Amino acid sequence: MNLAEGVQIVSFGLLAAMMLGAALGVVLLSNVVYSAFLLAGAFISAAGLYLLLNADFVAMAQVLVYVGAVNVLIIFAIMLVNKREDFTPIPQAWIRKTATAVVCAGLFALLSTMVLATPWAISTEATVPSGSIVVIGKHFFTDFLLPFELASVLLLMALIGAIVLARREFLPDLEEADLQQTMLTLPERPRELTPAGSNPGSQSK
Amino acid sequence: MQLQYFLIVAAALFCIGIYGLINSRNAVRVLMSVELMLNAVNLNFMAFSDFLDPLDVKGQVFTVFVIAIAAAEAAIGLAIVLAIYRNRDTVDMEQFNLLKW
């Protein structure tokens, strides 16, 4: 990336602050819908950081897969699990919160000292001029061919497994019309009753 | 621009993910924390790939694999959350104790 050094520093600072702030919002906010949208902000900021690291293809893949697929999936899951429930407070919850915060801060201090103390073998070669996508494609079809195919098989397995897990079970003791009604409605949100004059078997809308 | 900046930001993101993973009571938020941790690992991979291995970008290849696995993991995890919600009628992590002791 041929930006000036100051521009790189400023954009890195902005993107890092946005990403960490959005991540803190994901973890700390009480409304889970806000968390889901802030998660999209964290993913987009990460894609900007990838652009700073000369990785255009992976940045686009990040936006497509994470923001376009994973985040939409999470928002759909929040919509399906739409029960407004207040969690029963557990006793001594603050012990767990404090202990986790202390452990996380300690882990961060440990990682930071490790990062700052290690003499990294920084390479001084210039990056590939034509962008990284050609090199990534060569890797995929030569020395990473087997993991590439295995990833496709794993995605197929995840597809079928998600369908099998999330499918509604067949209820054999219900009648046909009743069964259709239970399949079309979510059990956690009861629909209002149909008015008396209408056909009870028809499911309008 | 230095390698250490990116590594420290990734470490902070990973620690935030761990905190959310342990302290969340909504099961969907636990999955979001897992995604945050995967993003921290991806950021590490990309930083190493750009600063230590700029010609033979194997870190980016690994990142693409991690993104694919994360998509599969999100699909399976949300399907499991839906199945549990249908059976137990809650998403509270404290009440998912079927396999506890």
Side-chain angles (χ1 to χ4, degrees), chain A residues 5 29 43 83 88 139, chain B residues 1 25 29 39 56 89:
Chain A
E5 188 74 14
L29 283 185
F43 288 157
K83 189 175 174 188
T88 55
H139 277 305
Chain B
M1 212 50 170
R25 300 193 60 184
R29 200 192 296 264
N39 256 288
D56 195 25
D89 200 34

Side-chain angles (χ1 to χ4, degrees), chain A residues 157-199:
Chain A
M157 285 162 52
L159 179 72
I160 298 172
I163 291 173
V164 169
L165 279 177
R167 195 187 48 172
R168 243 164 245 278
E169 290 93 8
F170 182 66
L171 305 171
D173 51 343
L174 295 178
E175 300 173 16
E176 188 61 36
D178 202 6
L179 180 68
Q180 192 182 10
Q181 191 169 10
T182 48
M183 286 176 74
L184 286 178
T185 56
L186 293 175
E188 60 270 15
R189 182 190 284 170
R191 297 159 75 102
E192 64 270 15
L193 296 175
T194 51
S198 68
N199 188 7

